[in-house]
Amino acid sequence: MRPRRIAVLPLRAVGLAPETVKDTRRVVAEEVGRVTTRPVLDDARVDRVSQRLSSCGGLEKGSQTACAVSTGSELKASHVVAGALGGLGQTHVVQLRVIDVRSAAVIRSLEETVIGNKENLPQQTRLIAARLFDPPRAPPWYRRWWVWAAAAGVVAAAVIVPLALTSGDETPTVSLP
């Protein structure tokens, strides 16, 4: 997926300080910009547009997707990153989604539980955000079909050729003087 411009919506949060949420959003935007090498729109500009739109008022998932599509359309972004954070003690849940503005479809959704101090949450989220636009990797060489087909051919040849060469009429010959 090759986005043109990306907007990162404000992250919804439960049980976390506003500063932690703001730092985490900043880290997500930085990482998405680094991974995709595409421009990530300014947070203040995204906030102004999303606050103005009526589709960004609800808290349920459906309205977050509608908000992402509306905001992305208004900002002429091809993709929008939306998500939520939750924290309870040392346990934090990070949910991030990439939404294609044109099709209004969630392209990738990641949800992970992070254990540790809330001060480390932005840096842990950096690793999760890096995987949002990560292209699929080719399977290792030993998982490709042609490797096993070639191996089967070699094994079959190693068994069949000696058998074919040694098979013949095994009757003893009699020599008459």
Side-chain angles (χ1 to χ4, degrees), residues 96-173:
L96 297 174
R97 299 183 298 151
V98 178
I99 300 162
D100 185 326
V101 174
R102 178 179 282 167
S103 65
V106 176
I107 295 175
R108 181 172 261 179
S109 179
L110 298 174
E111 184 172 321
E112 289 195 21
T113 302
V114 177
I115 307 294
N117 199 347
K118 67 181 176 186
E119 283 78 27
N120 297 333
L121 184 62
Q123 295 309 316
Q124 293 293 329
T125 307
R126 179 181 300 277
L127 302 173
I128 299 167
R131 295 191 345 248
L132 279 176
F133 291 92
D134 195 19
R137 294 189 173 97
W141 66 271
Y142 54 85
R143 286 197 177 164
R144 296 186 179 166
W145 70 269
W146 56 267
V147 171
W148 294 105
V154 169
V155 169
V159 171
I160 293 172
V161 169
L163 286 176
L165 292 176
T166 59
S167 70
D169 193 12
E170 295 290 325
T171 57
T173 57

Side-chain angles (χ1 to χ4, degrees), residues 1-2 10 39 42 46 60 69 73 104-105 134 140 142 145 153 157 166 176:
M1 106 183 72
R2 298 280 299 171
D42 181 46
V46 173
E60 58 277 350
V69 171
S73 295
D134 195 19
Y142 54 85
W145 70 269
T166 59
L176 295 174

